[in-house]
Amino acid sequence: PGNAEAQNALANVLFWREWNWPLAEQHFTRAIAINPSLPVAHHDYAFFLVAMGRTEQGLTSLRRAIGLDPLSARISIDAGWLYLQAHRFDDAIRQARRAQELEPTLAEAKACISRSLFYQKKYREMADALHLPAGDPEESLKRMYLQKLHEEEKAGSTDLFGMATRYIFVGQNAKALDALEKAYAERSIMMPLLRSEPSFAALHAEPRFQELVRKLALP
């Protein structure tokens, strides 16, 4: 009971796997109370808070993690992803570039930057970064995502949450909802981010989406 790392690990299982929000928070806050200088506890709690809709509190926790371990490439890139979930896309890009400075070979940083450009509809910048052919950048990106979805469907991909984000971009909202319902049934590890994921803003008014939120008991 006095081990901060153990408390934090348990909190993560309860958050990402068990979807027990109240108990997860108890263990996150217990870990931080035991060791306020544990960067990973602030980092992990930040994801929980943003997923629960408590964005500003989550970003405060994230900044504590960065302050405690400013040279961690892992914390920096995860900060990029978390800023993306908080819909702070310029901050996400800045943080991903910081991660690149710390670890130049980190492919994840490029992915985070591309997604942030995508959510801002900066399709030309994104297409240039991905070295797509000249022409209408939005159409080029749609073709790329359609091809990827075709390959994922053919292979029986288990990344249902990720596929749902791509279905949204190509205008296949019903397929996105199908993928999310299957992700829920299969207890996808990404489902706690259902409400914060920027792609799904287009689904918030859909009864099927609202039912998923209700079943997850997300605030």
Side-chain angles (χ1 to χ4, degrees):
N3 186 310
E5 290 85 352
Q7 293 286 344
N8 189 64
L10 178 55
N12 275 302
V13 173
L14 291 162
F15 171 41
W16 294 105
R17 292 294 186 184
E18 297 298 322
W19 305 343
N20 187 328
W21 320 130
L23 198 54
E25 183 158 27
Q26 285 182 34
H27 288 282
F28 277 130
T29 55
R30 177 64 182 149
I32 291 167
I34 294 167
N35 184 359
S37 298
L38 184 64
V40 69
H42 293 285
H43 162 284
D44 295 349
Y45 188 36
F47 271 93
F48 172 86
L49 291 165
V50 169
M52 296 297 109
R54 291 149 59 187
T55 303
E56 289 306 319
Q57 191 180 349
L59 294 179
T60 297
S61 189
L62 175 66
R63 292 184 197 106
R64 287 197 187 108
I66 294 169
L68 288 165
D69 195 357
L71 300 181
S72 168
R74 171 46 49 196
I75 287 178
S76 285
I77 188 54
D78 281 355
W81 290 119
L82 189 59
Y83 274 121
L84 189 145
Q85 290 295 318
H87 301 208
R88 304 285 186 87
F89 304 122
D90 287 333
D91 287 329
I93 291 171
R94 175 181 52 78
Q95 202 63 52
R97 286 179 175 153
R98 172 58 178 157
Q100 283 180 320
E101 291 173 5
L102 293 166
E103 193 173 318
T105 60
L106 191 65
E108 230 180 301
K110 184 177 178 181
C112 184
I113 291 167
S114 293
R115 287 273 296 277
S116 300
L117 292 170
F118 170 78
Y119 290 132
Q120 295 180 87
K121 298 186 178 181
K122 294 181 178 179
Y123 300 133
R124 169 54 60 199
E125 290 180 51
M126 186 180 174
D128 290 345
L130 295 171
H131 307 294
L132 295 180
D136 184 330
E138 187 173 357
E139 287 304 312
S140 294
L141 288 165
K142 280 185 178 178
R143 285 195 297 271
M144 181 187 77
Y145 280 126
L146 281 167
Q147 178 62 30
K148 184 172 178 61
L149 282 164
H150 174 72
E151 292 169 359
E152 288 175 320
E153 289 168 351
K154 189 176 179 180
S157 174
T158 58
D159 180 20
L160 296 162
F161 193 94
M163 288 177 70
T165 68
R166 291 183 276 282
Y167 281 128
I168 292 293
F169 181 64
V170 300
Q172 297 181 5
N173 289 14
K175 281 193 171 183
L177 286 163
D178 290 343
L180 288 173
E181 287 171 348
K182 190 174 180 183
Y184 173 83
E186 296 182 3
R187 300 192 69 84
S188 165
I189 196 171
M190 298 301 291
M191 287 302 288
L193 301 179
L194 182 70
R195 285 193 60 129
S196 63
E197 168 54 45
S199 298
F200 301 152
L203 301 177
H204 284 189
E206 294 282 348
R208 290 169 66 191
F209 185 87
Q210 292 170 358
E211 176 62 12
L212 283 171
V213 172
R214 186 194 68 78
K215 289 196 291 188
L216 281 163
L218 284 166

